[in-house]
Amino acid sequence: MRRILISAIAALFLTGCAGEQYIMLQGFAQGGTYEVKCKVGDASARQAAYLKEGIDSVLDIIDRSVSGYNPASLLSRYNDGQDIPEDGSAESGVFTSLTAYGDSLFLATDGALDTRAAELFDIWGFGFKNGRMPDQMAIEAARHDRNKLNFNAIAQGYSADMVASYLRKQGITDMMVNIGGEIFCSGLNPKGERWTLGIDKPFDDNMAPGKDLSCKFEVPSERLHGVVTSGNYRKFYIVDGVKYSHTIDPRTGYPVKHNLLSATVMAPDATLADAMATYCMVIGPEQARDFIESRDDLEACLISSDGMWCSEGFILNQ
């Protein structure tokens, strides 16, 4: 489960500088909601409606392509064993792009991220089908069944990037795009400052985003645009006193057991931030810290039961 608190902006139209204004657009996407704040030269209702229509169109294409909850999507058809034609459509392009990206992540992470492990996620009950507490035989069978896809580790980050790309084509440079907690930031906020976000305290069943924060931080959106938090405190179940989280290590077939509670990652784009936040949750706090420190293009805040660690470029705003 990924959640990042957006700094509260209540008004639909927000006064900006030099006659320009910020508008807020909201809607539904991928079983959840989206929110976009951006600076525009024309803050009329007609312009807002035009931009919202464009955003919804982008998200509809992604839904028809890689949503596991849309039975008519290309992903659902692929997982049902149907051939997916490369017909040059936008939906086909999204499917092909994310399939290739997922395969590259599998190789780059030595299998810790596997978009082809859909069967494994399903049998544990954290995918697109009901499941719970599989036995060893079922786990081993699922580990070797890489014939189905699940893009949950990258699809919403990708969606945020695609909406941001659409807005840039409309001449918009100051924006924050939030697709179900996966965020893309660019430029400045309505105060003329860097965008400021917050990280929820990662305690079990904390289902109220923004009510209880661990910290606030600034996004250096001149180089890091994507911001995603992944955690194990909202989606899990307990059997015989043992907690089974939704973060599954495809290499073992089991939910992770380390003490990393949440990982917030900033990256050049939201797709990469989405993937790397999940990757950190798979490998655990020590390896995640070493990994983040080895990358010049990533910053992160890791919260474990032992405390909070932030990389050097992760700017807290207390």
Side-chain angles (χ1 to χ4, degrees):
M1 175 69 75
R2 301 172 179 85
R3 294 280 183 181
I4 293 181
L5 170 72
I6 303 174
S7 295
I9 302 177
L12 178 60
F13 294 97
L14 304 161
T15 302
C17 304
E20 295 182 315
Q21 290 182 314
Y22 282 76
I23 63 172
M24 182 168 67
L25 305 169
Q26 297 174 312
F28 296 96
Q30 300 176 10
T33 61
Y34 73 79
E35 186 172 276
V36 173
K37 297 182 179 75
C38 58
K39 185 169 72 173
V40 295
D42 174 10
S44 66
R46 176 177 294 182
Q47 175 69 358
Y50 170 80
L51 291 174
K52 186 178 186 306
E53 182 179 0
I55 291 169
D56 289 341
S57 177
V58 170
L59 294 173
D60 285 345
I61 289 170
I62 296 171
D63 180 79
R64 293 195 299 270
S65 177
V66 295
S67 171
Y69 304 100
N70 179 351
S73 72
L74 297 185
L75 175 62
S76 295
R77 290 162 55 189
Y78 177 89
N79 287 347
D80 286 338
Q82 301 179 39
D83 292 331
I84 304 302
E86 296 184 7
D87 56 9
S89 66
E91 290 82 358
S92 176
V94 169
F95 185 85
T96 300
S97 295
L98 284 186
T99 300
Y101 192 83
D103 289 344
S104 71
L105 289 172
F106 178 80
L107 295 175
T109 63
D110 294 325
L113 291 180
D114 189 0
T115 56
R116 295 184 181 272
E119 185 66 22
L120 187 60
F121 304 138
D122 283 348
I123 65 171
W124 278 101
F126 299 121
F128 304 128
K129 298 180 181 179
N130 293 327
R132 194 178 178 93
M133 290 300 298
D135 58 27
Q136 179 66 32
M137 185 176 297
I139 291 170
E140 287 304 310
R143 282 184 61 216
H144 294 92
D145 180 3
R146 301 185 67 245
N147 296 312
K148 296 180 181 180
L149 292 163
N150 181 317
F151 294 120
N152 283 356
I154 53 176
Q156 287 190 317
Y158 176 84
S159 299
D161 287 336
M162 292 302 98
V163 169
S165 177
Y166 162 75
L167 292 174
R168 285 197 299 266
K169 291 177 181 177
Q170 308 307 310
I172 295 171
T173 57
D174 296 288
M175 71 181 84
M176 181 172 62
V177 179
N178 172 23
I179 310 291
E182 278 70 353
I183 290 177
F184 180 100
C185 291
S186 178
L188 302 175
N189 67 16
K191 295 181 179 180
E193 301 170 349
R194 288 178 171 179
W195 294 98
T196 299
L197 308 177
I199 303 174
D200 290 319
K201 287 185 177 179
F203 56 84
D204 287 355
D205 292 322
N206 178 6
M207 304 303 290
K211 185 176 181 180
D212 198 356
L213 296 179
S214 293
C215 65
K216 294 181 180 180
F217 63 97
E218 296 180 358
V219 183
S221 57
E222 67 276 4
R223 66 182 185 92
L224 300 174
H225 301 282
V227 188
V228 175
T229 291
S230 184
N232 281 330
Y233 54 97
R234 287 197 176 117
K235 193 173 182 181
F236 62 89
Y237 53 77
I238 297 175
V239 177
D240 296 330
V242 179
K243 177 181 175 180
Y244 296 90
S245 73
H246 82 289
T247 302
I248 296 174
D249 188 339
R251 301 168 299 182
T252 66
Y254 285 85
V256 298
K257 293 184 178 180
H258 53 67
N259 69 342
L260 183 59
L261 303 175
S262 75
T264 300
V265 175
M266 293 191 289
D269 58 75
T271 312
L272 180 61
D274 201 354
M276 294 300 99
T278 300
Y279 179 57
C280 287
M281 290 304 304
V282 171
I283 62 179
E286 292 81 12
Q287 291 187 57
R289 178 172 177 167
D290 291 343
F291 171 71
I292 293 298
E293 289 183 328
S294 73
R295 296 279 296 255
D296 294 333
D297 60 335
L298 302 176
E299 302 292 348
C301 178
L302 308 177
I303 302 178
S304 70
S305 57
D306 296 327
M308 181 173 68
W309 172 85
C310 296
S311 60
E312 184 177 353
F314 200 95
I315 306 170
L316 295 180
N317 186 343
Q318 299 295 353

